[in-house]
Amino acid sequence: GAFIFSIVGIVATKNEYFDKGGRFVLFTLTLMTFGLVVFTFVRWVDSIARLGRVGSTVAKVENATAVALKRRKAAPTLHGVSVKQREIQGLAVFADAVGYVQRINMSALQHFAENAMGRVTVGVLPGAFICPGRAVAHFFPDRRMADDEYDLKRAANAFSIGGERIFDEDPRFGIIVLSQIAGRALSSAVNDPGTAIDIIGVMVRLLTLWGKPDDAPSSSEVAEVSHDRVEVPELSLHEMFDDAFMSMARDGSGTIEVILRLQKALSSLASLENVAMRDAAVYHARRVMSHAENGLGLSFEKAMAREASAFAFDGEDLRGSGT
């Protein structure tokens, strides 16, 4: 843009298109353009300097994951209704593509269900891997007709499937990426437990954002159900804990600093007024302790790990226990 501006300005000036006042305005605009170019260049250099730094990458992933979590927390069923158990068998909806579910067009599913006079139960959430033979949804008609009278292809087209997962509709993906960064940091080639410890803190912030009661939206803030014929399952809190802590418990089993920080993080999450979160935190604290018993070589480090894990065992004697 600055280049085109300069060419036009030079051509107009050489052909005496401007008078004295016009040249003054052109000079002023030139100074402004020059200042904008310098500012953009400095900001670009700063971005290049930060590019590739672990801290900057972790911060970007955390921000993207927090946005996705807030969006899903406000609409846990994607503006649909909760899944209902049925005794009858629905018509399976299969997608042609192979890959990850990136988005679900809820409006298209609602429109299909209204026209076909039935209800759609979504079987996969964004982030699920779709392969031949796995149904993406089931259709339950209000009145039974021949299967070929339902255009199930329209329902299948509501699922956008691509070769990779995306952050904005898939909160678990951000948690998985953070866990993978921690796994690389804990590898023997990198040996950077400090990065893993930082990511444990990020996990606590994200899961607290999801499960803290006083952060729950009020009844006036909860997204309205705009797709009453589409049933969508909610995110599993236990699966989110698996994504966050399972690999770090395994890869960091031989590092006492990581074990202690993991147990402190899980203890903090267990203290929240959320029964499901406490159950998940206690379960993973026991897993961390099992890995620590096998990974730590020094007896006093195992004793430290047992002390940090006491909240998950309700006073059980952990000495010599590998479970």
Side-chain angles (χ1 to χ4, degrees):
F3 174 76
I4 295 174
F5 170 80
S6 63
I7 293 298
V8 173
I10 291 174
V11 170
T13 303
K14 292 294 185 180
N15 288 277
E16 298 182 353
Y17 181 80
F18 298 113
D19 55 13
K20 186 175 182 180
R23 288 194 296 270
F24 175 77
V25 173
L26 181 63
F27 176 72
T28 304
L29 293 175
T30 302
L31 292 179
M32 294 174 60
T33 304
F34 180 75
L36 180 62
V37 169
V38 172
F39 173 77
T40 304
F41 177 76
V42 172
R43 189 176 61 176
W44 176 76
V45 170
D46 181 68
S47 298
I48 293 298
R50 297 173 185 271
L51 187 65
R53 292 185 181 180
V54 176
S56 176
T57 302
V58 170
K60 291 179 180 179
V61 176
E62 180 183 2
N63 292 335
T65 307
V67 171
L69 283 172
K70 290 178 181 178
R71 184 185 297 114
R72 182 61 64 85
K73 187 174 182 178
T77 57
L78 303 178
H79 302 280
V81 297
S82 299
V83 175
K84 300 176 182 178
Q85 298 295 330
R86 293 184 176 85
E87 297 181 358
I88 60 175
Q89 183 69 26
L91 302 177
V93 178
F94 297 97
D96 295 333
V98 177
Y100 294 97
V101 177
Q102 296 179 334
R103 288 185 174 84
I104 301 177
N105 189 336
M106 295 290 291
S107 298
L109 288 178
Q110 174 73 11
H111 187 66
F112 164 78
E114 289 175 348
N115 290 340
M117 293 181 293
R119 304 182 70 86
V120 175
T121 298
V122 174
V124 294
L125 291 174
F129 184 77
I130 301 303
C131 56
R134 183 178 184 182
V136 295
H138 285 82
F139 174 65
F140 297 87
D142 295 337
R143 56 186 181 88
R144 193 71 183 187
M145 296 188 297
D147 292 354
D148 56 3
E149 293 187 42
Y150 299 105
D151 187 9
L152 299 180
K153 183 68 175 178
R154 292 179 54 197
N157 291 336
F159 293 82
S160 298
I161 299 175
E164 58 185 16
R165 300 173 73 168
I166 57 178
F167 287 97
D168 53 352
E169 297 292 336
D170 184 8
R172 287 182 57 191
F173 180 49
I175 294 176
I176 291 173
V177 170
L178 290 169
S179 180
Q180 291 173 342
I181 295 173
R184 292 188 182 95
L186 291 171
S187 66
S188 57
V190 179
N191 192 21
D192 180 19
T195 295
I197 290 173
D198 292 340
I199 290 178
I200 293 171
V202 174
M203 295 295 192
V204 173
R205 286 196 293 271
L206 293 175
L207 291 172
T208 300
L209 174 67
W210 177 262
K212 196 173 181 180
D214 57 1
D215 283 344
S218 63
S219 58
S220 61
E221 295 174 335
V222 175
E224 296 181 357
V225 175
S226 54
H227 309 102
D228 58 345
R229 287 183 174 267
V230 183
E231 301 172 359
V232 181
E234 298 185 17
L235 281 178
S236 170
L237 184 62
H238 283 270
E239 291 181 352
M240 292 172 67
F241 267 76
D242 290 344
D243 298 335
F245 299 113
M246 191 161 59
S247 63
M248 278 194 285
R250 180 194 65 237
D251 298 335
S253 60
T255 308
I256 185 60
E257 305 98 295
V258 176
I259 294 297
L260 294 179
R261 185 56 63 92
L262 276 171
Q263 296 294 37
K264 290 178 181 179
L266 292 168
S267 177
S268 299
L269 293 172
S271 65
L272 297 177
E273 297 178 4
N274 187 313
V275 176
M277 183 161 289
R278 174 171 175 78
D279 292 342
V282 168
Y283 170 77
H284 279 274
R286 290 173 176 261
R287 288 185 62 116
V288 171
M289 189 61 222
S290 297
H291 284 293
E293 291 285 357
N294 295 324
L296 296 175
L298 300 178
S299 58
F300 76 90
E301 288 186 345
K302 292 183 179 180
M304 294 172 63
R306 295 189 191 107
E307 183 179 357
S309 308
F311 75 95
F313 292 88
D314 295 327
E316 297 178 23
D317 188 359
L318 302 180
R319 290 174 296 178
S321 173
T323 59

